[in-house]
Amino acid sequence: MAFFQDVPQATPDAIFELSRQCRADPDPNTMDLGIGAYRDEHGKPYLLQVVSKVEQELAAAKLEKEYLPIDGLASFREESVKLLLGPDSKAIAEKRVASCQGLSGTGCLRVAAEFYKTFLGTSTPVYLSDPTWGNHKPIFSIIGFTDVRQYRYFDAQTKGVDFEGMCADLKAAPDGSIIMIQLCAHNPTGADPSKEQWAELSHLLKAKRHVVMVDSAYQGYATGDVDGDAYAARLFEANGLEFAASQSYAKNMGLYGERVGCLSFVCATPEIASNISSQLKVIVRPMYSNPTKHGARIAHRILSDPTLRAEWVAELAQMSNRIKTMRTMLVEALKAKGTPGDWSHICKQIGMFSYTGLTAEQCERLVGQHHIYLLKSGRISCAGLSANRIPYLANAIHDVVTNPSAL
């Protein structure tokens, strides 16, 4: 009997499998609206100019390739935490922040989950928004968390946040539950709470003594405003909330393949922060030993140099504005065709994704008949749109909406 002959074939990841199918499709009209990656007007991957400039500087410097410390590049971690909490953060000034460089957002969340497993236990309830990013649940369940739940988040009628339902579920959750909160540009819905709602949530989370995990994948990329996009995290700190945060630089710097991220814990005292820092190293060492260096150097240079940072912020604004323009053009195209329904929510939602409201059957027909690849949930990546392809997309959506019986 051969070793492992009973190992079954795993189900492919939905998003990456969708992208693979799109690449294999010979039809000239294919559109990949599933993968969460920014594309230029020609549908090509975009290398930020400021990233290209820094890479040339680093290449010219011929820097060594030694290992980083277990917790990563200290100067990068310092700048990353400042980006999240702001340069005037009391927690930073009082040395109440523990940080660890991680392998982009997923890696940081996994390290945080391992930390919670060790010090809270796998029976602790974990609450994720309904819906949420597809990788959130596996990050916890694969390491043994047995009670992963959902809190209401999206209102299918308004195509916005079901704030009343969200608050009701978080109030009903057992005290000390782990609560995953997305900082901005909620994935997959593109719907975020208002400032007033964030304030109410902050007090609720603190009163319930929930263990808050903030997932920051789109700071600056969501609206083009790096400070505005960090509003919730800075409000949480100002209100005395202790929380963890995962920052990814895949989207906002285009460093997808460099796997650059930062995990931080905003703590009550410097002593707690120091203790957590030491434990994060214990988790990382047998997991991947230490993080990647090149991407962290790029991110540090951009965040720490005023001129480079200004160039980065300007590019972020251009990228964000292009996505907003694509949203507007799509809605206008659907209106011009007289497509049934109110599509204004596409413009109200922010960031990379839009929850279109299309049904699973309509999405399947978009893939099968029109070669437009999107998830069955109706989520599309607006960053994958271009002006010259919007008419084709609008025509296809109009077809599947107005001809429900077509096969």
Side-chain angles (χ1 to χ4, degrees), residues 168-189:
D169 288 350
L170 295 181
K171 285 178 182 177
D175 290 5
S177 295
I178 299 168
I179 312 294
M180 180 75 74
I181 299 287
Q182 295 190 40
L183 180 67
C184 60
H186 182 270
N187 180 1
T189 69

Side-chain angles (χ1 to χ4, degrees), residues 314-334:
E315 277 195 86
L316 274 177
Q318 292 172 4
M319 294 163 69
S320 177
N321 288 335
R322 197 187 83 79
I323 294 173
K324 293 174 186 175
T325 299
M326 294 303 102
R327 289 177 178 273
T328 300
M329 290 180 67
L330 176 58
V331 171
E332 289 178 348
L334 291 170

Side-chain angles (χ1 to χ4, degrees), residues 88-103:
D88 300 323
S89 163
K90 284 185 64 178
I92 294 175
E94 296 170 1
K95 302 185 185 304
R96 292 189 286 108
V97 183
S99 66
C100 178
Q101 182 185 333
L103 305 181

Side-chain angles (χ1 to χ4, degrees), residues 131-145:
T132 194
W133 177 46
N135 220 14
H136 277 154
K137 184 176 180 180
I139 285 170
F140 286 92
S141 60
I142 201 168
I143 60 171
F145 277 87

Side-chain angles (χ1 to χ4, degrees), residues 334 338-341 343 357-359 362 365-366 370 394-405:
L334 291 170
T339 306
W343 301 94
L358 293 167
T359 67
Q362 290 167 343
R365 289 181 54 213
L366 284 172
H370 298 280
N395 287 337
I397 291 175
H398 184 80
D399 175 48
V400 301
V401 170
T402 57
N403 297 297
S405 60

Side-chain angles (χ1 to χ4, degrees), residues 48 50-51 83 219-221 226 249 251-254 302-303 307-319:
L48 272 68
V50 67
V51 169
L83 179 70
Q219 185 182 353
Y221 184 86
V226 293
Y249 290 89
K251 309 297 192 299
N252 60 11
M253 287 190 182
I302 292 171
L303 294 174
T307 300
L308 293 173
R309 183 180 174 121
E311 292 177 16
W312 172 57
V313 169
E315 277 195 86
L316 274 177
Q318 292 172 4
M319 294 163 69

